[in-house]
Every structure is written in C-alpha cells, then in structure tokens.
Amino acid sequence: MGTTPPVHRTDPAEPLASVRAALVEACARAGRDAGSVTLIAVSKTVPVDKVEHAVRCGQTVFGENRVQEAEAKWPLLRSRHHGLELHLVGSLQSNKVPAAVALFDAIHSLDRPRLALSIARECARQGRRPRLFIQVNTGAEPQKSGVLPQVTDAFIDACRDVHDLDIEGLMCIPPLDEPPAGHFALLADIAVRNGLRSLSMGMSADFVEAIAHGATHVRVGRGIFGDRP
Ligand SMILES: *Cc1c(COP(=O)(O)O)cnc(C)c1O
C-alpha cells in the first residue's frame, strides 16, 4: 500500500489476468492449490459497465465497501448476470444491517457485539445467512474498525454461543506504514486457535504475501480496476 506505485489502467481485462496469474504463482510457491484462494474484485467506485467487463472476463466474486453504493449497482448487475457473489468489505452501520443481509453473500466487517445482535436478528427475520467474517484490528489503530486481537477469542465465542452465528473466518487490514507479514501471521494464529477456516487478508499491494500466510480470500481493487478517483 504505502509502497505500491500508482496503477493507471482503465481496461480491467489485462490487469485482471495478471492479478490471477500472480495469485496462481503465489499459491504454487506456498504449496497451495490455486482453488484454495478466492479473488474478490473490489469494485467500489467502479461503474457498472466496467464491472460487467470483468464479469465477461470470467470474474464472479466482487466486493463493495458501501451498502448504498452496492444497492445502486448490484440489483441491475445480478439481473443481467447469473451466479455473481457479492461481499461487503467495508464497515457496516447498524441501520444498514437489513439492507446488507438482503444484498450480500458475505460480510467481512463484523466487529462489535451490537452488530452481531442486529445481524443475528435480521438473519432470522429474512431467513438469509450471509457468510460472516470478523474484522480484527491487528494493529490496534484507533481510527480503524475491528475487534482488538486480545478480545477476539471472546468475541468469536459470543457470536457463536450468544448469537448463534456461524463464523466463517477473520478479516484484517494491516496498518499502512508497517510490513503486513506480522499482521497476517497474527490473524492466521487467531483463526487456527478458534477453528476458523477462512482468512480474508491481502489487497492490491500485498495479496501475494497474504497468500504465503494462508489467505483464503484476497480483496483486490486498484490492481484490477486501476486507481480510484
Ligand atoms: C478498497 C478496499 C480493498 C481493495 O483495496 P486495493 O488497494 O484497491 O486493492 C480491500 N479491502 C477493503 C476493506 C477495502 O476497503
């Protein structure tokens, strides 16, 4: 992130192919099956026609960081293309929970008890169960969302035992000004000791390194769609 050169590309076809190639190579180097890592194309701020171009290039899994933007883009995209999977990667306000549960297949930003409660209630009401990732603030940064590492085990227990939520995995966004490896390793440790199978970590600048540390979901935006406005 801090060290990535800016990406200036407008056509997602070629960048998408090179991101996929880098993913496959990173898996090979880590002795992992390429199918064990899901590439989430983060399409926040990207207009529908550019998203459709990525769909035509075979991309099926996308991420958005704002519920409102996703509500504006995705009903149309889903009506035109079958089998698309949509992940919420940005933080979720409690008043947006009904819309988020209705729209997203996965939520990567479960980060507080009140949100666990609202999601649980809304899942019951709608009869839907989006896959859930708990966001961990691995760098304990005051401005960043996420559960602090030292209370994550307790939060996972509460989600499971109090709210009856099935937690799939953990998500983190390492601090911009630190090497990400230690944060990826910390997230992987917390997942292992809690029996969680998925790790959402790695973005355009560091997804190769995240795969080396066990990422199962990498969230790549600029690397596929170019710099955002
Ligand atoms: C925007 C965003 C990404 C993608 O970041 P890039 O640097 O564009 O790859 C990944 N995760 C989250 C949570 C984001 O908000």
Side-chain angles (χ1 to χ4, degrees):
M1 283 161 282
T3 54
T4 338
V7 183
H8 295 288
R9 286 184 286 227
T10 50
D11 178 2
E14 185 272 321
L16 178 58
S18 43
V19 166
R20 282 194 189 130
L23 184 154
V24 169
E25 195 190 314
C27 286
R29 265 201 311 269
R32 301 179 54 192
D33 190 311
S36 68
V37 179
T38 299
L39 174 61
I40 303 174
V42 178
S43 52
K44 61 191 186 198
T45 78
V46 177
V48 165
D49 60 325
K50 268 181 89 172
V51 175
E52 289 195 293
H53 189 86
V55 172
R56 285 193 294 272
C57 294
Q59 182 65 27
T60 56
V61 184
F62 292 86
E64 291 281 348
N65 73 330
R66 292 179 57 235
V67 175
Q68 242 174 326
E69 181 183 345
E71 280 186 300
K73 284 154 67 176
W74 285 87
L76 174 68
L77 281 160
R78 282 191 161 135
S79 73
R80 291 189 185 159
H81 307 275
H82 290 294
L84 299 183
E85 194 176 297
L86 187 59
H87 293 233
L88 177 64
V89 300
S91 51
L92 177 56
Q93 295 166 277
S94 292
N95 63 338
K96 298 277 171 56
V97 167
V101 167
L103 186 62
F104 290 94
D105 301 296
I107 294 172
H108 291 235
S109 47
L110 172 51
D111 63 356
R112 54 196 192 276
R114 223 190 88 139
L115 190 59
L117 177 64
S118 328
I119 290 175
R121 282 188 179 150
E122 205 49 42
C123 286
R125 205 177 66 79
Q126 296 186 26
R128 278 181 54 87
R129 284 203 158 240
R131 293 151 54 194
L132 297 174
F133 292 73
I134 289 172
Q135 182 172 354
V136 182
N137 187 355
T138 57
E141 296 173 278
Q143 82 287 6
K144 200 166 268 177
S145 348
V147 183
L148 291 172
Q150 62 269 27
V151 297
T152 301
D153 293 354
F155 184 60
I156 295 167
D157 288 346
C159 286
R160 288 169 164 166
D161 303 339
V162 181
H163 304 295
D164 194 28
L165 292 171
D166 183 16
I167 303 299
E168 171 167 335
L170 302 177
M171 180 272 229
C172 76
I173 308 171
L176 281 171
D177 55 354
E178 283 180 33
H183 297 273
F184 295 154
L186 172 60
L187 199 71
D189 276 354
I190 301 174
V192 165
R193 71 171 181 249
N194 286 284
L196 296 174
R197 64 184 182 282
S198 294
L199 287 169
S200 167
M201 57 189 196
M203 303 168 38
S204 294
D206 54 19
F207 72 89
V208 164
E209 199 164 359
I211 289 170
H213 284 88
T216 59
H217 294 72
V218 294
R219 311 178 309 267
V220 180
R222 290 171 303 139
I224 293 172
F225 297 109
D227 276 344
R228 286 180 289 272

